[in-house]
Amino acid sequence: MLSATAQTATEKRIIQLAQTDNQTMHHLDVLTNRIGGRPTGSAAGESAERWAADCFRSWGLKVELEPVGEMCLGFNRGGWWGRMTGEESQTLHFATPSYSVGTRGPVRGHVVIEPRTQAQFDRNKGRMKGAWVLVNGISAGWTLPRGEKAAERRRAIIEANNEAERHNRALRGKEGERKAIDEQTPALFYDEMVEAGVLGFVQAAKVPIRALYDTTAVRGGLSFEELPSTPTILLNEEQYRRIHTLASQRRDVTLEFDIRNHFRPGPIPYHNVVARIEGTKKPDEYVIVGAHLDSYDVATGGVDCGSGVSVVMEAARLLAKSGAKPDRTILFILYAGEEFGLWGSSAWVEQHADLLPKISNLFNRDGGPMPYTGFSVPASLVKCYERLAEPLRELYPDYGFRIDTLRTRKVPTQTGGTDASSFAVKGVPAVQMNEWNDPKGYGFEYGEIWHTERDTYQKSIPEYQEQASVAMALMLLGTANLDTTWPREEVYE
C-alpha cells in the first residue's frame, strides 16, 4: 500500500514547476561553463562544493560539507597549445593527464624516436638533450609509469631486446629464426632519457583524446617538492604518425609546446556535499540520491557527471519549492573523488554505517544525459510504483515509463564503476531507473565523451535532462512515502 494519496497535490506542484521553471540546464551551465572541470584537489572542485552547498541552502535544505580526506597535492589546469614547424607546419591537437606537469613556458625542441635497445640508446644519447621523444603505443590516458616497479619491468624488457638484437645480428646472412623485439611497451629508457635532458614524451592517442591522471601524484602521496619535471603529451594519432614518419626520415621537424599545468601545495581537504529534506513521520529512515561532483578537466565534466549533479540538484529544488513533506528523510549527496576510486561514497558508507540498514533505496545518476524510461522494483511494490508512474507517463508520453518486477541478485562482493556500488556491497538496495535509451534518436554515444575532451555542456540533451529531474523528484517522493522500506529479500538473494 502507498500512503502517498495525500501527496497528489505535491506531485501536481512538482509537475507545474517542471513545466514552467525547469532549472536543470541552468545548474549544468553554472557547473561546467562557470566553474569548469573539477578534479578532486582543484580550486574548481572547491568552488563546486561551495556553490552546490549554497544552492541547497537557498532552497531551504539542511546542508553539511562532510570531510572525506585530504590531497597531498592540488592541481589546476591552465591553457595549452602546440605546433609543429620545419619542413611542415601545423597546429597540434593534444592533451595532458590531470596532475601531470606542464612546460616552463613555450618550449621548443627537435624530435627523437625512442630507442628500444641499449645500443640504440647509446647511439642517440647525445641527441636526447632538448628533444621531444616519440614513445611507442597508443595512450589510454595515463601518464607514463614511474618508480622502481616500472623501472624493473623496463629493465627486463630491455635485456630481452638486447639479447634479441645480438641474436639477430649473429644470424645475418645465415638461416635461423629471428627473435622479436618488443616495440610496444612505451618509454623503455624512461629514467635514462630524463637524466639525459629530454623535454618530454609524446605518445599517440585516439580521437577524441582521453586524458586521465598521474596515478603516482594522486595516489602515491607525493609532496609538492617531489613532482616529476617531464611532461607526458597525448597527441592526435594522425599527427603523431606524420611526425614519426618525418623523424624516421631524419627530416627537419621541430615541436613547440606551452602547457600551463599548475600544482598547489597540500594538504587540501575535500568533502561530500550532503543536503536533506527531513522526514515528517519516519525521519530515521532514508531514501538517498547521489551523483559525483568531481570530473576530469581536459573538458568540463558536462556529462560525467554534470548530467547527474544537475538532475540531483533540480530534483531537490523541485521537491523543496513544491513544499514536499516526505514521510522519510531524503538525502541528496554529491560525492567527492569518484574518478579517483569512489572515495566520497566509500567514505560516506564507512562514516554512516549505522544508517545503512535504514536506507530504503539508493538512487544514483552517473550514466549520461538520458531520460528515465522505466524502473524495476520489488514484486510487492509494483502496484505502488505503477501509480507513481502515471503522472510521469502523462507528462512525457514519448518516453513511456515501464514498471517491471525486479529480479533478485547476489550482493556484489566488490565495488564497480559507480558510487552506487559502494552501497550495494553493503547490502543496501541500489537499484537505478533505466537510463540507457535514446528514444528520440539524438545519436548520443557515452564512449565518445567518457573522460575525453568532448565531455562538455553541449553533449547533454536538455529535454532528456529535464525529464530525468522530474522523474527523479517523483520517484524519490514516492519511495519516501511508501508504507514500508524496500524489502531487501526481494532485492538480494
Side-chain angles (χ1 to χ4, degrees):
M1 292 289 292
L2 186 71
S3 63
T5 52
Q7 295 290 331
T8 302
T10 303
E11 291 174 355
K12 289 180 179 178
R13 287 195 292 272
I14 289 171
I15 292 169
Q16 183 181 24
L17 279 167
Q19 289 178 306
T20 60
D21 186 33
N22 196 310
Q23 295 290 309
T24 309
M25 295 305 290
H26 169 72
H27 306 323
L28 185 62
D29 180 30
V30 174
L31 184 65
T32 60
N33 297 325
R34 295 187 192 177
I35 296 176
R38 310 166 296 282
T40 299
S42 66
E46 293 177 347
S47 295
E49 289 179 5
R50 293 197 301 271
W51 166 75
D54 288 345
C55 287
F56 284 129
R57 289 190 189 101
S58 72
W59 303 328
L61 281 70
K62 297 178 181 178
V63 184
E64 291 185 42
L65 290 177
E66 296 188 358
V68 173
E70 292 181 338
M71 299 292 294
C72 293
L73 291 168
F75 178 77
N76 290 330
R77 187 186 294 277
W80 65 95
W81 64 267
R83 64 181 177 179
M84 174 177 68
T85 59
E87 292 186 29
E88 298 181 13
S89 299
Q90 62 176 301
T91 300
L92 297 177
H93 173 202
F94 70 99
T96 58
S98 300
Y99 280 86
S100 69
V101 295
T103 59
R104 298 180 178 92
V107 177
R108 191 176 189 185
H110 60 283
V111 176
V112 171
I113 296 173
E114 70 158 313
R116 308 304 297 171
T117 66
Q118 188 65 50
Q120 290 177 14
F121 177 80
D122 292 342
R123 284 198 301 271
N124 288 278
K125 184 177 181 179
R127 296 184 64 231
M128 292 291 174
K129 184 175 179 61
W132 293 103
V133 180
L134 303 182
V135 299
N136 290 359
I138 300 294
S139 171
W142 310 98
T143 53
L144 295 168
R146 304 190 306 278
E148 185 53 39
K149 284 188 177 180
E152 184 177 344
R153 179 170 179 267
R154 288 177 176 130
R155 283 193 293 269
I157 296 173
I158 291 170
E159 183 53 42
N161 281 357
N162 292 342
E163 174 57 32
E165 186 178 57
R166 287 191 293 268
H167 173 82
N168 296 339
R169 188 182 298 116
L171 283 178
R172 288 177 182 172
K174 302 177 183 178
E175 293 186 0
E177 184 177 355
R178 298 176 65 83
K179 291 185 177 181
I181 289 179
D182 181 317
E183 298 286 359
Q184 293 303 311
T185 305
L188 288 184
F189 289 84
Y190 180 92
D191 294 322
E192 294 86 346
M193 290 188 289
V194 169
E195 186 176 352
V198 300
L199 299 177
F201 301 101
V202 181
Q203 189 173 27
K206 293 185 179 299
V207 176
I209 296 174
R210 176 167 289 120
L212 301 175
Y213 58 92
D214 185 325
T215 55
T216 305
V218 169
R219 299 178 181 175
L222 292 184
S223 70
F224 194 74
E225 291 74 22
E226 294 172 321
L227 284 167
S229 58
T230 313
T232 296
I233 292 166
L234 316 178
L235 180 64
N236 178 320
E237 61 180 338
E238 293 182 6
Q239 294 182 326
Y240 177 95
R241 285 195 294 267
R242 183 57 186 160
I243 294 169
H244 194 284
T245 297
L246 293 171
S248 65
Q249 296 171 352
R250 300 179 69 86
R251 293 164 64 181
D252 178 22
V253 56
T254 299
L255 302 183
E256 183 175 8
F257 294 99
D258 186 359
I259 305 166
R260 300 174 187 182
N261 292 353
H262 306 294
F263 288 83
R264 312 165 65 206
I268 297 172
Y270 52 96
H271 309 82
N272 290 328
V273 182
V274 183
R276 68 169 57 209
I277 298 177
E278 202 75 27
T280 56
K281 296 181 180 179
K282 301 174 182 178
D284 295 330
E285 294 180 0
Y286 302 88
V287 178
I288 301 179
V289 60
H292 65 88
L293 193 55
D294 65 311
S295 78
Y296 287 107
D297 59 354
V298 70
T300 59
V303 170
D304 187 15
C305 189
S307 64
V309 171
S310 57
V311 164
V312 170
M313 292 181 69
E314 181 59 7
R317 193 188 74 91
L318 290 172
L319 289 168
K321 295 297 183 182
S322 70
K325 304 294 183 185
D327 290 354
R328 293 177 181 81
T329 296
I330 301 176
L331 296 182
F332 304 85
I333 308 178
L334 303 182
Y335 305 107
E338 190 268 358
E339 298 293 6
F340 292 162
L342 310 181
W343 288 355
S345 55
S346 297
W348 195 94
V349 166
E350 183 177 330
Q351 294 164 4
H352 300 281
D354 57 318
L355 303 186
L356 301 184
K358 304 173 185 179
I359 299 171
S360 186
N361 190 54
L362 178 283
F363 293 83
N364 190 63
R365 184 166 172 86
D366 190 15
M370 296 292 103
Y372 287 122
T373 58
F375 197 19
S376 295
V377 302
S380 63
L381 300 177
V382 167
K383 288 184 179 180
C384 301
Y385 279 94
E386 285 287 359
R387 211 288 302 165
L388 290 172
E390 288 175 5
L392 194 58
R393 291 168 180 154
E394 292 175 7
L395 186 60
Y396 298 101
D398 292 347
Y399 305 138
F401 194 85
R402 289 174 53 91
I403 299 297
D404 295 313
T405 300
L406 181 69
R407 297 179 62 180
T408 58
R409 64 198 73 179
K410 293 182 178 180
V411 175
T413 57
Q414 58 186 17
T415 55
T418 71
D419 290 303
S421 65
S422 297
F423 291 80
V425 295
K426 301 296 185 181
V428 175
V431 182
Q432 309 308 314
M433 290 184 279
N434 303 339
E435 58 175 322
W436 289 104
N437 296 325
D438 184 1
K440 293 198 173 182
Y442 287 115
F444 178 81
E445 292 287 345
Y446 193 77
E448 176 190 357
I449 63 88
W450 183 63
H451 300 165
T452 76
E453 59 193 339
R454 295 184 186 170
D455 187 3
T456 62
Y457 172 88
Q458 288 78 10
K459 289 296 182 180
S460 276
I461 302 167
E463 63 181 285
Y464 286 177
Q465 283 286 97
E466 291 172 358
Q467 184 267 3
S469 297
V470 182
M472 184 66 79
L474 292 175
M475 290 299 126
L476 286 171
L477 182 61
T479 303
N481 288 330
L482 293 171
D483 276 350
T484 179
T485 56
W486 275 31
R488 297 193 175 189
E489 68 276 8
E490 294 185 44
V491 178
Y492 296 117
E493 296 176 4

